[in-house]
Amino acid sequence: MGRLILRRLLATVPVLLLVTAGVFTLIHLTPGDPIDVMMAESIDATVKENLRRELGMDRPLYIQYAAWMGRLLQGDLGRSIRNREPVIENVSRRIRPSLQLAGLAMAISLIIATPIGILSAARRNTSVDRFGTSFALFGICMPNFLLALLLIFFFGVKLRWLPISGYTDPLEEPWLGLRSLVLPAVTLGLALGAVITRTLRSSMLEALSEDYVRTARAKGLSEWSVIRGHVLKNALIPVVTVLGLQLGTLIGGAVITEYVFALPGVGRLVVDAVFARDYPLVQGVVLLIAVGFILSNLLVDLLYGWIDPRIRYR
Amino acid sequence: MPGTTRDENPREVSRRNFLRISALASAGLASGVSAVPALAQTAPKKGGTLRVGFYLEASTMDPHLSGSKVDRQIYHNIYEPLITLDTNLGLKPGLAESWQQPDAKTLILKLRRGVKFHDGTDFNAEVAKFNFNRMKTEPKSVRKGETASIDTVDVMDAYTIKINLRRPDAALLATLTDRAGMMISPKVIQERGSELERNAKGAGTGPFEFVEWIKDDHLIIKRNESYWNKQGGPYLDRIRYRPIPDDTVKLQSLQSGEIDVIDYVQPRDVAAVKADKNVAVLDVPSLAAFAYQLNQTRPPFNNKALRQAVAYAIDTEQIVKGVWLNVGIPANGPVPPTSWAYDKTIPPIKRDLAKAKAKLAEGGKPTGFPFTITTANIPINIQEVEVIQAQLAEAGMQVKVKLVDAATQLSDGNSKNFDMISYQWSGRPDPDGNIYQFFRTTPGMSLNWSGISNPHIDALLDKTREASSREERKKLYSELTRILQDELPMVYIVHPIEPKAFSLKVQGYEPVPDGMMRFRTVWLK
């Protein structure tokens, strides 16, 4: 197991190289530069030139990339152009809200999806199933920003139950913090829950048609025992796959949700960085998001083996 | 008085009484006439936290390095400029008690005594000199352009400085009302250096002191207990700024009571907010302008008749009514109506399709011609450009629209990679700041995207800086405006109003038409 993890981690190195090189090229090819954005209302061309030189932006691209890689190998992600703060500080401050949001959203999605998915499959083609499928369709079709604004309108403006924007760290002030995360987490959790509902339902249906289910039923087990003991675990593989991919996306930033709720997370950070053409910051965040994806996929692969012993890694 | 008194019915005015709106009535067009502030206000009282929502995150706490408008919203409460603006954009004493100009190239400032920075450092002539030197020499200084006319600064006595100019600069006093006039504690700069960018503790002399700044979350300032001016505040214990990027959510945060003030209400939301009894709206006329630059360095717009054809085909009135929902005033050129140099006898260009077609023929394109309008991908810009597209089509011009993000818009403009491009300017209190750098021929004038280079205009522009009296300058600006409305390097559309909205608890706010929110006089009911 230890060797497997090590091998997988080593295999990520070329992936990361490709990702950084790709992002570096793309962001530099995009028209517009950070100095213009910073000094939109200033006229002094020499100041702009000084800044450009100071930031090393007057050098050829491949040298800039090499310099960036060189610093990266020493653990230095560089400094944000816009606020001159080390990228690592920017990112580490922003990762916490994003992780909390991702965790809470995932929990909410599972709480919604597990019963609905199971019931939909077990009571296939009944009104329960139709309700479940409609719910999933609604969750998938509803754009995040619209759902967010509706939630804000009802629970924030009309009922005034929950704060509608901003962030408090739940680790410092649990009650306030949790309240500030509820609406964004529900926004994300509902959409994710819908996807998981559908996945769970279809993989359950597949498992329900297997021979071992017929055997179990023939032994006289109750339907609930069949589902709990035989179907559910086997139906979990696709669900775990979806969850793993979604976790990467959530950590990488649920951009729109963070934007609407003014949550200081990674998603908003990277969008602002792109708009400001803040090259080092964009690079740093993308690197982090890539690592997040790779780790969550690794986690998924390990879970496969645990859920279904037939899946073995050599 | 278009715009400023729009939609005002008696009920609404009484609802707003707690705000000192006197300034507004006069700030619109009839500068100098001050309405009577017969206002039913509660007596000022100390205490409380004012929660302010604004749309963008600040970029730096160092006024000498700041290039973004949003920073100024915060600076004006922490730092103080040498000269400040009254509610009619007139100059009034700030950290300088008085000033005199013995000749066109000398400016003498008498500085206020007994002013201390938040870190206890005394403010005096040496400190002012230090600040000017830093603005002029610090490699990263963004203030170099604004202080370019300053040659040297002499300390005459402990509280008097003499500014020696390289060339006459009639706009300098107004420039000193913002970041270029803001004084920073030399001790903070020497001891903490670039840390000031993130932490302004002790750095200013203003009514509020910096407390903390958690990026993208909040910035807190608190009352300066030993503020030199004992009259009229500061009353608030604290001010908590929060960036809320989504306009709708920002507004809803105000309506739900989570914040007390927002810096800007989108035109589309103004009617709804005005109908909300728990919220008060203040239409603050601004110095801003929305315009389009026409690229004179290449066809088709190197042809004056074709530029005029565009201008005559655009119906600014319809745009201000339909797109801006009257939250703004049709522009008659670069000088905003809030300015002392505004000339109301110059009419905005009226739509005239027959004239537009005649100009097309004169320009050698009687059947019209195709070109591209570049604009930022922002709802109001898109709406505006769609209306313009339709209006130009009626005159036979086939317009393609290129939507870009702000960074691309800047780079397209700077590299003159456009036919017609939208331009938004937040405005400066002195007309020089709204004109000179857009139309003067100088290599490196980065706001002159249109590429206009006209010796007559250049000479006039230089004269406006040398002229000593306001009357003389005003005449020159009128002349310039008339020429520009004929040459048309830029087609001006609207001078927007920048409505701010408040919860009913907020008292004593004094709006200055530069759009900056100064909270010294504010208290909470």
Side-chain angles (χ1 to χ4, degrees):
Chain A
M1 187 66 112
R3 272 190 60 200
L4 166 76
I5 294 175
L6 191 71
R7 225 175 49 212
R8 286 289 302 265
L9 286 179
L10 278 178
T12 63
V13 172
V15 176
L16 288 177
L17 261 176
L18 271 177
V19 168
T20 57
V23 171
F24 192 87
T25 320
L26 282 177
I27 185 80
H28 278 86
L29 282 178
T30 316
D33 84 30
I35 312 288
D36 278 346
V37 178
M38 261 165 69
M39 315 249 288
E41 295 197 342
S42 168
I43 58 158
D44 205 304
T46 51
V47 179
K48 288 188 181 180
E49 271 326 296
N50 287 346
L51 266 173
R52 203 160 272 137
R53 203 167 325 116
E54 192 197 338
L55 294 165
M57 284 170 46
D58 54 339
R59 294 178 295 172
L61 264 197
Y62 64 93
I63 294 190
Q64 290 187 45
Y65 182 69
W68 183 76
M69 279 309 282
R71 281 197 302 271
L72 184 66
L73 290 176
Q74 298 161 35
D76 178 8
L77 281 173
R79 274 169 186 273
S80 153
I81 292 176
R82 194 167 66 111
N83 61 26
R84 314 277 169 93
E85 212 180 355
V87 168
I88 194 78
E89 269 178 44
N90 265 296
V91 171
S92 57
R93 195 176 48 240
R94 307 290 285 265
I95 190 79
R96 197 186 261 195
S98 284
L99 281 176
Q100 288 163 347
L101 177 62
L104 199 58
M106 202 146 262
I108 289 173
S109 70
L110 284 175
I111 291 169
I112 298 172
T114 317
I116 299 182
I118 292 173
L119 278 175
S120 274
R123 305 257 184 281
R124 190 182 178 186
N125 291 335
T126 64
S127 53
V128 175
D129 183 24
R130 274 191 293 278
F131 165 79
T133 333
S134 317
F135 158 77
L137 199 63
F138 170 80
I140 291 167
C141 294
M142 187 75 154
N144 266 356
F145 72 91
L146 186 59
L147 181 60
L149 291 178
L150 287 176
L151 290 174
I152 285 175
F153 184 71
F154 284 111
F155 294 101
V157 180
K158 285 283 150 202
L159 299 171
R160 303 210 175 180
W161 289 352
L162 292 163
I164 62 188
S165 69
Y167 168 76
T168 310
D169 190 343
L171 298 178
E172 281 162 21
E173 287 185 63
W175 178 235
L176 263 179
L178 217 54
R179 278 165 52 91
S180 73
L181 281 174
V182 167
L183 290 184
V186 168
T187 306
L188 283 178
L190 205 64
L192 179 56
V195 177
I196 296 172
T197 305
R198 295 214 62 130
T199 318
L200 185 59
R201 177 178 177 273
S202 63
S203 63
M204 286 256 315
L205 284 177
E206 202 178 306
L208 278 169
S209 65
E210 295 281 346
D211 286 344
Y212 58 78
V213 172
R214 207 175 317 135
T215 311
R217 282 187 182 138
K219 283 195 298 188
L221 287 179
S222 72
E223 190 63 16
W224 178 236
S225 313
V226 172
I227 288 176
R228 207 182 41 187
H230 298 264
V231 176
L232 200 53
K233 203 172 169 192
N234 287 305
L236 273 182
I237 294 276
V239 174
V240 169
T241 312
V242 171
L243 274 177
L245 287 174
Q246 292 290 333
L247 183 67
T249 315
L250 288 178
I251 293 171
V255 176
I256 293 168
T257 308
E258 286 181 3
Y259 225 83
V260 171
F261 289 98
L263 269 182
V266 180
R268 223 174 104 199
L269 181 68
V270 73
V271 172
D272 288 343
V274 169
F275 280 136
R277 301 290 187 271
D278 194 334
Y279 302 137
L281 195 51
V282 173
Q283 283 282 98
V285 180
V286 169
L287 189 68
L288 174 101
I289 292 173
V291 170
F293 262 96
I294 288 168
L295 289 183
S296 58
N297 271 309
L298 179 61
L299 194 70
V300 167
D301 284 352
L302 295 177
L303 275 177
Y304 281 169
W306 176 73
I307 294 171
D308 188 346
R310 285 173 303 178
I311 303 175
R312 283 272 172 253
Y313 296 102
R314 267 158 289 133
Chain B
M1 208 184 285
T4 53
T5 55
R6 187 181 51 86
D7 289 347
E8 267 180 15
N9 58 47
R11 188 183 67 87
E12 205 172 334
V13 172
S14 71
R15 197 150 53 71
R16 294 193 207 159
N17 263 352
F18 64 96
L19 296 164
R20 293 182 189 169
I21 57 172
S22 63
L24 283 180
S26 56
L29 295 172
S31 331
V33 183
S34 58
V36 186
L39 303 172
Q41 294 190 116
T42 63
K45 69 168 201 233
K46 273 195 178 181
T49 297
L50 183 75
R51 298 156 306 165
V52 183
F54 58 148
Y55 80 114
L56 263 183
E57 171 75 350
S59 69
T60 169
M61 284 296 110
D62 187 335
H64 298 168
L65 306 189
S66 156
S68 95
K69 180 185 175 189
V70 62
D71 298 343
R72 295 158 60 200
Q73 293 284 9
I74 297 161
Y75 293 164
H76 276 286
N77 296 295
I78 302 179
Y79 297 101
E80 285 175 295
L82 290 167
I83 298 167
T84 59
L85 295 170
D86 64 23
T87 46
N88 287 320
L89 293 179
L91 302 178
K92 66 174 190 183
L95 287 180
E97 250 170 353
S98 64
W99 52 89
Q100 45 184 162
Q101 282 180 286
D103 61 72
K105 286 167 76 174
T106 314
L107 176 64
I108 292 172
L109 298 180
K110 289 255 178 235
L111 305 180
R112 204 174 286 283
R113 288 161 195 268
V115 176
K116 293 228 182 301
F117 285 96
H118 302 145
D119 67 353
T121 309
D122 189 46
F123 169 70
N124 54 40
E126 288 293 343
V127 168
K129 182 179 172 170
F130 173 90
N131 272 273
F132 279 111
N133 283 344
R134 180 167 187 257
M135 284 185 254
K136 292 184 67 64
T137 56
E138 157 69 40
K140 288 180 289 184
S141 165
V142 179
R143 304 276 81 82
K144 280 185 183 145
E146 289 156 274
T147 53
S149 63
I150 298 175
D151 187 19
T152 53
V153 176
D154 297 333
V155 173
M156 293 176 75
D157 64 46
Y159 292 95
T160 312
I161 56 169
K162 188 169 108 187
I163 299 177
N164 305 300
L165 301 178
R166 268 183 237 283
R167 51 172 169 78
D169 184 357
L172 183 63
L173 284 171
T175 306
L176 296 184
T177 62
D178 199 71
R179 289 166 296 193
M182 284 182 184
M183 296 290 116
I184 307 174
S185 163
K187 200 170 127 205
V188 167
I189 290 168
Q190 280 152 358
E191 287 174 6
R192 301 217 309 270
S194 63
E195 191 205 320
L196 171 61
E197 290 218 49
R198 285 181 269 161
N199 171 2
K201 255 186 198 132
T205 62
F208 295 92
E209 292 177 43
F210 178 93
V211 177
E212 69 165 359
W213 180 16
I214 307 295
K215 290 250 170 61
D216 295 292
D217 196 40
H218 65 256
L219 189 149
I220 294 175
I221 59 181
K222 65 170 187 196
R223 182 172 59 232
N224 172 6
E225 297 290 357
S226 45
Y227 188 59
W228 57 268
N229 188 347
K230 298 294 175 212
Q231 283 174 341
Y235 303 111
L236 300 164
D237 284 345
R238 284 171 167 242
I239 300 173
R240 185 187 165 96
Y241 291 95
R242 263 185 49 200
I244 305 176
D246 187 279
D247 284 316
T248 309
V249 174
K250 189 172 72 179
L251 184 55
Q252 287 175 329
S253 298
L254 176 73
Q255 291 176 315
S256 73
E258 273 176 43
I259 52 179
D260 307 307
V261 184
I262 59 176
D263 60 337
Y264 180 61
V265 183
Q266 291 285 347
R268 62 164 193 262
D269 295 324
V270 167
V273 188
K274 284 189 173 167
D276 184 339
K277 286 193 181 58
N278 299 311
V279 174
V281 185
L282 199 56
D283 287 333
V284 185
S286 75
L287 296 163
F290 268 57
Y292 292 84
Q293 302 221 23
L294 299 176
N295 191 346
Q296 303 203 358
T297 63
R298 69 181 197 198
F301 293 124
N302 53 356
N303 184 328
K304 178 171 160 184
L306 296 185
R307 299 198 295 272
Q308 290 173 327
V310 168
Y312 287 125
I314 293 177
D315 188 342
T316 20
E317 243 168 65
Q318 195 194 351
I319 293 172
V320 172
K321 214 191 269 172
V323 176
W324 288 86
L325 307 171
N326 282 328
V327 187
I329 301 162
N332 70 352
V335 181
T338 38
S339 169
W340 52 263
Y342 182 72
D343 185 344
K344 58 178 177 225
T345 66
I346 302 175
I349 295 175
K350 269 246 177 303
R351 183 178 210 218
D352 187 335
L353 274 183
K355 226 169 171 179
K357 284 184 176 145
K359 287 292 175 187
L360 282 177
E362 187 189 327
K365 307 267 186 197
T367 56
F369 59 99
F371 67 96
T372 303
I373 302 181
T374 307
T375 191
N377 195 354
I378 301 167
I380 197 149
N381 289 38
I382 299 170
Q383 270 181 341
E384 190 178 279
V385 92
E386 278 169 352
V387 173
I388 289 177
Q389 194 178 24
Q391 291 174 346
L392 292 178
E394 284 175 46
M397 285 170 266
Q398 305 95 44
V399 173
K400 268 196 295 194
V401 175
K402 181 178 158 196
L403 293 181
V404 296
D405 71 334
T408 311
Q409 187 198 15
L410 288 168
S411 108
D412 278 359
N414 285 329
S415 58
K416 308 213 188 303
N417 171 32
F418 66 93
D419 297 326
M420 177 166 165
I421 192 167
S422 66
Y423 197 90
Q424 289 110 58
W425 179 239
S426 65
R428 295 287 178 271
D430 191 274
D432 183 83
N434 307 317
I435 298 187
Y436 194 88
Q437 39 186 347
F438 289 93
F439 307 113
R440 181 72 170 80
T441 315
T442 312
M445 277 286 169
S446 66
L447 301 182
N448 182 353
W449 290 356
S450 71
I452 185 175
S453 173
N454 179 321
H456 182 45
I457 291 178
D458 285 353
L460 279 174
L461 283 169
D462 289 342
K463 257 199 200 159
T464 61
R465 288 192 161 182
E466 284 151 24
S468 48
S469 78
R470 266 199 177 180
E471 294 75 55
E472 202 183 331
R473 293 184 71 209
K474 187 173 174 180
K475 259 186 223 143
L476 288 167
Y477 283 121
S478 294
E479 195 183 341
L480 270 166
T481 301
R482 285 177 202 279
I483 297 173
L484 290 170
Q485 290 293 75
D486 179 60
E487 282 293 326
L488 292 163
M490 280 174 94
V491 177
Y492 283 89
I493 305 288
V494 58
H495 290 298
I497 291 168
E498 294 181 357
K500 303 187 181 328
F502 303 81
S503 85
L504 300 182
K505 288 189 303 186
V506 182
Q507 309 266 306
Y509 179 75
E510 291 180 355
V512 178
D514 68 352
M516 296 300 123
M517 296 185 287
R518 296 163 175 87
F519 292 121
R520 183 172 72 91
T521 56
V522 167
W523 70 93
L524 294 171
K525 192 156 70 176

